Amino acid sequence: MIGVCYGMLSDSLPSQNEVVNLLKSNNIGKVRLYDANQGALEALQNSGIEVIVAVGNAEVEKIAGDQAAANGWMNDKITAFYPSVDIKYIAVGNEVFANRAYVSYLLPAMKNIQTALRNANLQNDIKVSTPHAMSVLNSSFPPSQGTFGEDMSSILQFLSDNDSPFMANVYPYFSYKDNPDSISADYALFRSMSTVVNDGSLMYNNLFDAMVDTFISAMEKLGHSNIPIVITETGWPSAGNVVATVDNARTYNNNLIKHVLSNAGTPKRPGRAIDTYIFSLFNENQEVGDEEERHFGLFETNKIPLYTVSSSPESSRGLKVVYIYLTVV
């Protein structure tokens, strides 16, 4: 249920075979790619690691307008590797609503990829979705009042029709950094031992659950209460801002892993496991934006971990889970 995001925006990454060995040696059983990188897919063959493969934002328009292009992408990027690569999801674009240039192409591209999957008779094995940022929400507090600020009805209907999950990128870090007077560090870092937010009959002691449930509430308001949710990104940087510290990053990711592996779910969906991907595997020195964007990694690109991340098997006995064990060097 816990995976990592394998970004490649760095000028000093280890080889893809080394990366797969690093994942396996740390018992990381799920990985998200941000494209359909051939070298990464070749390295992942027969690894047993479950993979999210992406259609890059720059490819969305072409695939939206041409079923043959979608079929070709499917043949080259998916059927050429599946099932030796355990591909679970295809993520069409990433946070497309944050870049208005691609919005009108998103759903047609998803539909064309779904048709290509059906043509390959893989529609029951691989699911199509698209990751969303929190910015697609118009209202986010309290969680029960979550609403979309974008027209999400057609995308949700597509997900429902094809048994696909809603994908969300959820960052308590940014909410805390931008609102330190109204959000406590304990609430953002899973350290609160008591209720912080009362929302009717639902009680929240961590911001992650509140953010996830806000998406769920927004889906419910559009008539979709049963679409599963996958958290395709979450994490905490270890440098680049006063609240981006090694200690906070260690605390957030350790507590996140324990929470996800506990199978507690969220107040709106108790007891329901949520696949969650930590951003990111490496610090990436070519990430754009503020300095903190380059410091979300669990590892430096020399494969040395920045801090210890672990979860206790005792807390999750009997669950089908993935454990991460990293050691300080």
Side-chain angles (χ1 to χ4, degrees):
M1 291 182 290
I2 287 284
V4 295
C5 301
Y6 174 18
M8 302 182 189
L9 296 177
S10 173
D11 57 12
S12 59
L13 288 172
S15 73
Q16 286 143 337
N17 284 328
E18 288 179 278
V19 170
V20 171
N21 287 334
L22 180 69
L23 295 171
K24 292 170 70 174
S25 67
N26 286 280
N27 298 305
I28 300 173
K30 295 174 182 284
V31 68
R32 177 188 175 190
L33 304 179
Y34 286 88
D35 55 15
N37 184 281
Q38 181 169 337
L41 290 170
E42 289 175 349
L44 284 161
Q45 289 183 110
N46 303 309
S47 67
I49 296 170
E50 191 176 274
V51 184
I52 298 177
V53 177
V55 176
N57 285 355
E59 301 174 278
V60 169
E61 180 179 359
K62 179 180 179 181
I63 286 175
D66 186 355
Q67 184 62 55
N71 294 343
W73 186 92
M74 185 66 56
N75 290 335
D76 294 342
K77 311 297 186 181
I78 303 299
T79 58
F81 296 98
Y82 185 85
S84 62
V85 178
D86 184 10
I87 300 168
K88 184 171 185 179
Y89 301 119
I90 297 171
V92 179
N94 183 50
E95 299 187 351
V96 170
F97 282 94
N99 186 335
R100 308 307 302 182
Y102 303 112
V103 170
S104 63
Y105 304 112
L106 178 58
L107 184 58
M110 294 171 71
K111 288 180 176 179
N112 283 353
I113 290 293
Q114 184 66 38
T115 297
L117 266 180
R118 194 173 297 113
N119 291 342
N121 199 30
L122 294 176
Q123 71 275 12
N124 295 323
D125 303 309
I126 302 172
K127 298 300 178 178
V128 178
S129 189
T130 183
H132 298 283
M134 290 293 294
S135 58
V136 300
L137 294 165
N138 183 53
S139 174
S140 59
F141 186 85
S144 63
Q145 298 305 305
T147 57
F148 289 114
E150 306 286 352
D151 183 5
M152 204 65 65
S153 297
S154 297
I155 287 178
L156 293 179
Q157 191 61 55
F158 170 90
L159 299 178
S160 179
D161 290 344
N162 294 288
D163 297 321
S164 293
F166 185 92
M167 291 180 166
N169 297 339
V170 172
Y171 285 98
Y173 166 75
F174 289 111
S175 295
Y176 170 60
K177 183 193 80 165
D178 294 342
N179 303 279
D181 294 333
S182 57
I183 297 174
S184 72
D186 286 345
Y187 187 52
L189 293 167
F190 296 91
R191 290 192 310 214
S192 177
M193 303 306 293
S194 59
T195 299
V196 176
V197 171
N198 278 294
D199 185 8
S201 63
L202 303 180
M203 295 176 289
Y204 294 88
N205 63 8
N206 71 81
L207 182 54
F208 176 85
D209 280 355
M211 295 171 81
V212 172
D213 276 359
T214 301
F215 278 112
I216 293 171
S217 294
M219 288 192 282
E220 288 175 348
K221 289 180 175 63
L222 293 178
H224 295 280
S225 59
N226 294 315
I227 294 174
I229 190 166
V230 172
I231 306 307
T232 38
E233 287 181 20
T234 190
W236 199 287
S238 59
N241 184 276
V242 66
V243 299
T245 66
V246 169
D247 185 57
N248 282 349
R250 179 194 298 114
T251 298
Y252 179 80
N253 283 323
N254 271 293
N255 288 339
L256 168 79
I257 292 167
K258 290 175 184 176
H259 181 60
V260 171
L261 297 188
S262 75
N263 205 30
T266 68
K268 285 190 74 70
R269 292 181 176 176
R272 291 179 62 173
I274 302 174
D275 280 0
T276 301
Y277 292 77
I278 296 174
F279 184 85
S280 62
L281 185 58
F282 297 112
N283 279 342
E284 297 173 72
N285 64 2
Q286 295 179 337
E287 271 279 7
V288 298
D290 296 334
E291 178 64 21
E292 63 208 349
E293 299 285 353
R294 294 179 276 281
H295 296 278
F296 272 87
L298 297 173
F299 294 88
E300 293 285 9
T301 54
N302 61 7
K303 300 183 290 183
I304 295 176
L306 281 93
Y307 48 84
T308 303
V309 180
S310 63
S311 87
S312 169
E314 300 301 320
S315 66
S316 301
R317 183 175 289 147
L319 298 177
K320 184 179 180 182
V321 296
V322 177
Y323 299 112
I324 298 179
Y325 297 102
L326 310 180
T327 55
V328 172
V329 175

